[in-house]
Amino acid sequence: MKKHSIFILFLTFIMLFILIFCINKVNARSNDNNITIYLDAGHGGFDGGATSLDKSVIEKDVTLNATLILKTYLEKVGYIVNLTREKDVALSKNKKDDIYKRVELINKKDTDLYISIHANSYPSKNVLGAQTFYSTHIEENKKIAEKIMKYLKLSDKDNKRNAKDIKGKYLLEHTNTVGCLVELGFLTNDIDLKRLTDESMLKETMFMVYLGILEYIEELNIWKK
């Protein structure tokens, strides 16, 4: 218990240090430059996505809540944030056209970065852990995925996953701007389910995603001119 408390205190100190550093950097430039970020809350409407084992928690609700939290963080440092959906709706009458519409929105010429938010499920309840996925058709996709993954692992010392190149995901392969997909965890695992349904824990998880975005933008200097 004592070791766990020390770890939490150390993690909190590191998080605060990184946050202050990143925000100072962002604020120093925000008056002259605007970054536009598209956040995509996975699923919605008729398409519920994954569910918890007892079917009481649905992915579409988790992803929307998580996306709105991340939007708040990003707007506080001056970023322009657009959402593919702001409530429980699908963007079309079928899943295929829904994905096409999300890609169309993200591919607007004024978008600098996108993040697609999802939650996972698996037949075995023992599988857990957040993970980021990217497509290699844009080189920078790997970098943003790795940045976010680094912070997700920082907040969960048991997470051994790494950012992963994935094939066959239409949204990832047809976007023409930098971005990645973030799977926040498994609704079928009790530990992950707690992280995704407890408001304070979900805020902590999205704070990690936020820090990854901040570090990526600062390091690679993708500011509008």
Side-chain angles (χ1 to χ4, degrees), residues 12-13 41 52 59 65 68 71 89 102 104 132 147 151 168 173-174 177 191 199 211:
T12 302
F13 173 78
S52 58
E59 180 182 359
N65 191 20
L68 294 175
K71 177 178 183 287
V89 295
R102 292 170 194 263
E104 178 186 335
T132 58
K147 293 294 184 187
Y151 284 99
E173 294 176 347
H174 290 80
T177 191
I191 296 174
E199 191 73 8
L211 289 180

Side-chain angles (χ1 to χ4, degrees), residues 68-204:
L68 294 175
I69 291 170
L70 181 57
K71 177 178 183 287
T72 299
Y73 289 149
L74 293 169
E75 288 182 334
K76 283 183 177 179
V77 290
Y79 294 149
I80 298 170
V81 181
N82 295 316
L83 304 178
T84 56
R85 68 180 181 98
E86 300 181 49
K87 53 186 178 179
D88 182 17
V89 295
L91 304 190
S92 188
K93 294 181 179 180
N94 61 72
K95 291 186 69 170
K96 183 178 180 181
D97 289 340
D98 177 84
I99 292 295
Y100 288 167
K101 182 62 177 179
R102 292 170 194 263
V103 171
E104 178 186 335
L105 291 172
I106 292 169
N107 280 343
K108 287 186 174 181
K109 63 181 180 180
D110 59 348
T111 300
D112 298 294
L113 181 70
Y114 80 90
I115 304 293
S116 185
I117 305 295
H118 288 260
N120 222 329
S121 65
Y122 199 77
S124 171
K125 64 180 182 180
N126 296 321
V127 177
L128 75 165
Q131 188 168 18
T132 58
F133 296 88
Y134 63 92
S135 168
T136 57
H137 78 288
I138 297 177
E139 183 179 353
E140 294 295 314
N141 289 343
K142 180 179 180 181
K143 295 180 181 179
I144 181 62
E146 288 179 337
K147 293 294 184 187
I148 294 173
M149 191 69 232
K150 179 179 74 172
Y151 284 99
L152 288 172
K153 291 170 73 172
L154 182 62
S155 68
D156 179 8
K157 60 184 179 63
D158 295 319
N159 190 333
K160 307 302 180 184
R161 297 179 180 274
N162 295 306
K164 184 177 180 180
D165 169 22
I166 190 170
K167 308 296 183 185
K169 294 292 184 182
Y170 185 88
L171 187 144
L172 294 182
E173 294 176 347
H174 290 80
T175 45
N176 57 24
T177 191
V178 177
C180 69
L181 184 150
V182 181
E183 290 280 3
L184 297 176
F186 289 80
L187 296 174
T188 43
N189 176 269
D190 290 341
I191 296 174
D192 278 358
L193 183 61
K194 176 67 173 176
R195 289 195 182 104
L196 298 177
T197 54
D198 181 279
E199 191 73 8
S200 62
M201 297 179 76
L202 182 59
K203 285 181 178 179
E204 178 184 333

